[in-house]
Amino acid sequence: ALIFSFNSQARLVEEGLLIEGDEHKILFSLLSKNKEFTLDHITSQSYELYGPKGTTEYLKSLRSRYFFYYKKILSPLSHKSASYDYPKHHSIVAQMKKLEQEFPSFIKVQSLGQSYKKNQLLSAHLADHKKSKEELKKLPHVKLIANMHGDEIVGREMMIRLMRDLAQNHSDLLKRVQVSILPSMNPDGADLRRRGNYKYVDLNRDFPDFSTNDNTNTTMDRAIETVHVMNWQKENHFALSLNFHGGTEVVNYPWDTVADKHPLYDLVLSLSNDYASTIDGMHDSEEFPGGIVNGYKWYEVDGGMQDWSYFYHNDLQLTVEVSHIKWPRYQEVDIYYQRHLPSLLRFIQSSLTGLGFFINDNSSLPHEGKVKIYRTRDNLYIGEFTYTDGYFYKVLPADEEFTFILPQETTFSHRVSQDDPLYYSL
């Protein structure tokens, strides 16, 4: 057997293989124990295996013990047809800036920083920008991220289309909610048409993992793209998020890294079902009943963005696998977008169902601290969350009452109303 070693804690994905065959499930139990491998898109027939250089040779050494097939996962660069000619990242940047110019009242574009190859990680903040910063602060904030795996491209294109759609056709929604969109978290990987970033790091295995002994929310020794997203998250009060991938069609809900039931299980199940319910090929999936799946039951992901987002930042995130083919013909992107648009709009609107509070300047309460939340009817503990800047908001199930306990034994309880966010003034 080969021995792999890293210069950092990053998960490298320099080689990719598709595993099939009679004993591929038995082999899976062996491979999944090796933390240097990434296993992805597990189905009853196959799964993807990624790892550092030497992974293919290691797999060959197992052929004498297990009966399975494998083949290299080809880059979309192998397709010569112009129908696979997706825009390069500089074109995505240009499209975003053009949309900002077209809709200055609703779209503001900013750079989160640069990738290793000096590509800008450009995000768009969609809101009614005629409002003041203080007024915007009182609106729920939704975050959408795509293309963190460079070879999973459809989500990136969908986000560009969604930017235009929201500004042009759904301005009423943008008067009630903020939406921040990062179409490409991995521009270098997208231009190279491969899973990892320029240094072959798998960005969805690169975030702090709360299940480890050293579960600190630090940017140390992480890929530069991961650091930019972590800093972005820290600077905002995102309440609800989606993360777009490709390789199958399903909505994946937390947790990914542990078997524990999520403290808001009924809510994540409801949001997942609602997203999948109107998408043909997803809600009627034979592989995933109802088109949804619990992340950990599907396959364990350590260092994933989804779990990190909620555990450290109270930002409830779902992962949407958009397309079976990671790099479909470019002219098919509009079909995927139209399939997902109703679900996207409903998901954004669902951020309006929740409770929060503002701490006034003349209040004796600290503007940074912890708040504990319980479901009132049975005292079910939802969790303890950090609040900053005298502000906190949490998406919660409608028609349930929750109790908030702040410092100085300050307490309030209220029932959550559908599409009607309530903020207590303290």
Side-chain angles (χ1 to χ4, degrees), residues 12-229:
L12 299 183
V13 286
E14 295 170 289
E15 297 180 12
L17 302 158
L18 183 69
I19 312 297
E20 303 170 302
D22 292 351
E23 294 187 323
H24 77 281
K25 290 183 180 178
I26 300 174
L27 179 64
F28 178 87
S29 64
L30 172 68
L31 296 173
S32 62
K33 293 175 183 177
N34 190 327
K35 295 299 183 181
E36 295 173 350
F37 292 139
T38 292
L39 296 159
D40 203 10
H41 296 120
I42 290 87
T43 72
S44 57
Q45 303 298 318
S46 65
Y47 50 86
E48 298 168 13
L49 170 69
Y50 297 90
K53 289 180 180 177
T55 296
T56 306
E57 289 302 314
Y58 174 67
L59 208 62
K60 286 179 181 178
S61 73
L62 300 175
R63 290 295 299 277
S64 62
R65 294 160 53 191
Y66 302 95
F67 184 75
F68 64 93
Y69 307 102
Y70 67 88
K71 59 184 178 182
K72 184 178 179 181
I73 296 174
L74 296 176
S75 163
L77 285 170
S78 61
H79 298 296
K80 302 300 182 184
S81 170
S83 61
Y84 292 94
D85 191 17
Y86 281 71
K88 289 287 191 178
H89 184 68
H90 65 81
S91 176
I92 298 299
V93 169
Q95 289 180 59
M96 293 177 70
K97 290 182 176 179
K98 183 179 179 182
L99 285 170
E100 181 183 35
Q101 292 174 351
E102 284 187 57
F103 305 100
S105 296
F106 292 105
I107 299 177
K108 300 293 183 186
V109 171
Q110 65 167 331
S111 174
L112 306 185
Q114 293 184 333
S115 67
Y116 286 106
K117 291 293 287 180
K118 307 301 181 184
N119 281 311
Q120 297 290 334
L121 271 69
L122 216 59
S123 72
H125 181 215
L126 288 91
D128 180 2
H129 288 293
K130 293 177 183 176
K131 296 180 183 289
S132 67
K133 286 186 178 181
E134 284 303 308
E135 289 176 314
L136 288 175
K137 189 177 178 181
K138 297 179 181 179
L139 302 181
H141 203 162
V142 176
K143 178 178 95 265
L144 307 174
I145 293 182
N147 197 208
M148 70 186 305
H149 289 148
D151 62 346
E152 299 171 14
I153 199 71
V154 179
R156 184 190 77 173
E157 301 302 314
M158 283 173 45
M159 292 302 96
I160 297 297
R161 286 156 177 78
L162 181 63
M163 285 175 59
R164 172 175 291 280
D165 229 338
L166 286 173
Q168 188 167 276
N169 302 315
H170 301 282
S171 58
D172 286 348
L173 181 58
L174 293 181
K175 293 180 186 296
R176 302 185 67 203
V177 66
Q178 308 173 72
V179 183
S180 285
I181 300 177
L182 179 62
S184 180
M185 181 181 167
N186 185 4
D188 297 353
D191 280 354
L192 293 165
R193 301 192 180 190
R194 69 183 184 208
R195 181 183 180 92
N197 71 353
Y198 182 71
K199 295 193 173 183
Y200 290 98
V201 174
D202 188 328
L203 299 180
N204 206 34
R205 305 298 188 278
D206 193 44
F207 283 83
D209 181 353
F210 73 84
S211 67
T212 62
N213 292 327
D214 57 343
N215 60 337
T216 54
N217 191 24
T218 175
T219 58
M220 189 177 300
D221 295 325
R222 303 192 192 280
I224 193 167
E225 297 89 351
T226 308
V227 172
H228 292 325
V229 169

Side-chain angles (χ1 to χ4, degrees), residues 252-258 260-262 265 268 272 293-296 306-307 310 316-319:
N252 171 343
Y253 60 87
W255 300 111
D256 281 330
T257 193
V258 293
D260 300 350
K261 199 172 183 178
H262 194 278
Y265 177 77
V268 296
S272 301
V293 66
N294 169 253
Y296 186 83
Q306 177 167 269
D307 285 6
Y310 183 80
L316 182 57
Q317 185 171 112
L318 303 179
T319 298

Side-chain angles (χ1 to χ4, degrees), residues 288-311:
F288 305 103
I292 69 172
V293 66
N294 169 253
Y296 186 83
K297 288 183 179 178
W298 189 16
Y299 57 92
E300 182 178 348
V301 172
D302 300 318
M305 184 168 64
Q306 177 167 269
D307 285 6
W308 166 82
S309 179
Y310 183 80
F311 185 85

